[in-house]
Amino acid sequence: MLNIIWGFFLLGGILVGAFLGRMDAVTNAVIAGGKNAVTLAFTMAGVIGTWSGILKIAEKAGMIDALAHHLTPFLNFLFPSVPKQHAARKYIAANFAANFLGLGWAATPAGLLAMQELAKLQKTKGCATNAMCMFLVINMSSLQLVTVNILAYRAEYGSHAPAEIMGAGIVATIVTTVVGIVLAKLLERF
């Protein structure tokens, strides 16, 4: 479905550019977009590779297990179907910690590993478990205390007070996360 939507936008842009006689702008946009996509891909590959390595070091040092241990009551409530000593719990804990600190890119490797481990608990392949759904809901609810990326963007684009959104960001995070958890818990019954 997403391919159809993006295809529609792409074709629409080309047709509007041709209709208005601005194919030069379309060509320049395609070239600039391609360059930005390649740059972003390399940047993301480097960041994700770095944080995957740091995650592996933290795991070998026992830091991830310690974090998961401290989050046990919270994880028991959110993920009752995940066994207490299962590897998914430590990756979920690492993902939550990175997201909470606003390090979304650092959370990605742990999130992917958590989903791989949660997939091992599936009874029906191809059907998401309640734990998988809860994990996605919490990640998509913007679980973060410090919005590092937004602060960086605001500073980069000339904001005089990039941190002025911190209060609103914390309130939004709390509201969206609580609403997401409540709705996921209600829908778990189905």
Side-chain angles (χ1 to χ4, degrees), residues 6-7 9-15 17-18 22-39:
W6 281 110
F9 284 142
L10 182 63
L11 185 59
I14 291 170
L15 291 174
R22 296 295 319 262
M23 286 305 290
D24 59 323
V26 172
T27 303
N28 290 338
V30 168
I31 292 170
K35 178 183 171 190
N36 291 339
V38 170
T39 302

Side-chain angles (χ1 to χ4, degrees), residues 46-59 105-106 108-110 113:
V47 170
I48 290 174
T50 300
W51 283 107
S52 293
I54 290 171
L55 177 65
K56 201 49 122 173
I57 292 168
E59 182 181 7
W105 287 22
T108 301
L113 291 170

Side-chain angles (χ1 to χ4, degrees), residues 51-187:
W51 283 107
S52 293
I54 290 171
L55 177 65
K56 201 49 122 173
I57 292 168
E59 182 181 7
K60 295 225 184 250
M63 294 169 65
I64 304 298
D65 290 329
L67 179 63
H69 175 72
H70 290 304
L71 291 177
T72 296
F74 186 63
L75 295 177
N76 287 343
F77 171 72
L78 294 174
F79 306 101
S81 64
V82 178
K84 293 198 184 345
Q85 299 303 320
H86 197 273
R89 283 182 175 249
K90 65 182 175 182
Y91 295 127
I92 290 169
N95 176 272
F96 284 0
N99 272 322
F100 191 70
L101 296 173
L103 304 170
W105 287 22
T108 301
L112 293 172
L113 291 170
M115 286 302 276
Q116 285 176 349
E117 291 297 324
L118 290 172
K120 293 176 184 176
L121 298 173
Q122 284 178 303
K123 290 183 174 71
T124 306
K125 296 297 178 196
C127 182
T129 64
N130 287 338
M132 292 171 132
C133 292
M134 178 64 78
F135 183 65
L136 285 175
V137 164
I138 292 172
N139 268 280
M140 295 174 92
S141 72
S142 183
L143 173 69
Q144 57 186 324
L145 179 62
V146 182
T147 54
V148 173
N149 293 341
I150 300 301
L151 295 178
Y153 292 141
R154 286 176 54 87
E156 181 179 329
Y157 291 112
S159 173
H160 296 300
E164 71 184 357
I165 61 157
M166 288 291 293
I170 291 170
V171 169
T173 290
I174 291 169
V175 169
T176 58
T177 303
V178 168
V179 168
I181 289 170
V182 168
L183 289 174
K185 282 293 185 184
L186 288 172
L187 293 173

